[in-house]
């Protein structure tokens, strides 16, 4: 089974997982990335079962609309039962590293609103210790160098993702060489650096359930 086949299988499993939770008024939060794209395609098959979606990026909004799913502004939504999104890494505590696609801030906002965060990954995303995947940090442009210096003091090696601008008009620093033993504390510490918008650690609000595509089928991890 290829990685894409595992992503597609887990995306289809996610649709089966959320189906019983949906009604005609439901709004589904939708993440960003290639796994989320497979999810959008599978979600389109049941679009008659819910009202619409909130997107975590412009790219996701465009794909949802192309599939005939109405996209709502988060400010117009008071309740969201479920948010479905991929991840770059997850550990046994269901802490995540996200933001490989640069959509981390909107992803974190939508995840915060949702009652349940369903993370969909293939088995290559499972790690013992987070940090092998460079940790994305979204920064206000004028603060880029200052934030980078502060991250070096925390023993991280920040690299500017040159040429990339987020949907919010900001920049990304990808932090290499982090062995993340205390994910919640590091998430808070990085967010406390002035000029940081948010970082890609989803630990204080991690996933509630991980659906993991493997060559032998989809595993549910809680
Ligand atoms: C985007 C993300 C994605 O969820 C993450 O990068 C995983 O992407 P993919 O499903 O393409 O492997 O956080 O900001």
């Amino acid at each position: 089974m290829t990685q894409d086949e595992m992503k597609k299988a887990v995306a289809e499993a996610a649709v089966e997982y959320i189906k019983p939770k949906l009604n005609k008024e439901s709004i589904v939060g939708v993440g960003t990335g290639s796994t989320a794209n497979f999810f959008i395609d599978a979600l389109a098959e049941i679009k008659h079962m819910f009202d619409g979606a909130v997107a975590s990026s412009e790219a996701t909004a465009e794909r949802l609309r192309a599939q005939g799913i109405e996209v709502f502004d988060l400010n117009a939504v008071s309740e969201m039962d479920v948010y479905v999104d991929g991840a770059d890494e997850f550990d046994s505590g269901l802490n995540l590293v996200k933001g490989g696609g640069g959509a981390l801030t909107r992803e974190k906002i939508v995840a915060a609103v949702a009652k349940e965060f369903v993370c969909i990954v293939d088995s290559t995303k499972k790690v013992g210790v987070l940090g092998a995947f460079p940790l994305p940090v979204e920064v206000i442009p004028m603060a880029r160098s200052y934030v980078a210096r502060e991250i070096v003091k925390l023993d991280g090696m920040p690299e500017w993702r040159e040429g990339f601008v987020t949907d919010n008009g900001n920049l990304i620093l990808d932090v290499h060489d982090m062995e993340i033993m205390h994910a919640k504390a590091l998430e808070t510490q990085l967010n406390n650096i002035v000029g940081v918008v948010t970082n890609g650690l989803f630990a204080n609000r991690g996933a509630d359930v991980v659906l993991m595509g493997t060559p032998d089928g989809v595993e549910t991890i809680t």
Side-chain angles (χ1 to χ4, degrees):
M1 218 182 198
T2 65
Q3 194 178 7
D4 268 359
E5 284 167 341
M6 287 192 278
K7 288 181 180 188
K8 188 164 186 282
V10 79
E12 287 166 359
V15 168
E16 292 308 311
Y17 180 87
I18 67 166
K19 233 195 238 179
K21 302 170 194 278
L22 300 179
N23 60 56
K24 294 270 186 200
E25 274 82 53
S26 299
I27 302 291
V28 180
V30 183
T32 297
S34 56
T35 319
N37 282 345
F38 283 119
F39 173 69
I40 294 167
D41 297 346
L43 190 65
E45 303 289 323
I46 59 153
K47 62 184 170 200
H48 56 282
M49 292 181 67
F50 60 98
D51 195 16
V54 167
S56 62
S57 65
E58 299 298 336
T60 287
E62 202 176 301
R63 196 177 183 101
L64 285 163
R65 288 194 193 100
Q67 287 285 17
I69 297 171
E70 187 171 354
V71 177
F72 289 87
D73 184 312
L74 183 61
N75 291 307
V77 169
S78 53
E79 266 197 17
M80 188 189 298
D81 286 328
V82 69
Y83 175 61
V84 181
D85 195 1
D88 299 301
E89 286 185 339
F90 78 98
D91 69 11
S92 57
L94 308 195
N95 304 300
L96 315 173
V97 168
K98 291 187 45 52
L104 59 158
T105 298
R106 293 191 189 191
E107 291 172 339
K108 201 174 268 197
I109 294 168
V110 186
V113 174
K115 287 191 195 130
E116 184 175 7
F117 179 0
V118 181
C119 184
I120 51 174
V121 290
D122 62 81
S123 52
T124 64
K125 308 293 182 71
K126 187 177 181 182
V127 297
V129 177
L130 299 172
F133 188 93
L135 176 64
V137 178
E138 180 165 351
V139 297
I140 299 288
M142 73 174 287
R144 174 174 55 85
S145 298
Y146 168 70
V147 172
R149 290 195 295 275
E150 291 301 300
I151 289 173
V152 169
K153 289 183 197 164
L154 299 176
D155 292 331
M157 182 63 84
E159 185 187 9
W160 176 22
R161 202 183 291 183
E162 279 195 74
F164 183 86
V165 177
T166 70
D167 284 349
N168 312 306
N170 297 316
L171 305 176
I172 298 280
L173 295 172
D174 290 305
V175 187
H176 299 254
D177 298 343
M178 298 285 253
E179 209 175 71
I180 302 171
M181 306 304 289
H182 305 287
K184 285 191 173 80
L186 182 64
E187 181 180 358
T188 303
Q189 204 172 10
L190 287 169
N191 283 343
N192 281 343
I193 300 172
V194 175
V196 169
V197 179
T198 195
N199 70 81
L201 272 172
F202 285 55
N204 289 297
R205 201 282 185 255
D208 296 302
V209 58
V210 172
L211 303 180
M212 180 176 75
T214 78
D216 304 317
V218 176
E219 277 178 34
T220 303
I221 304 165
T222 52

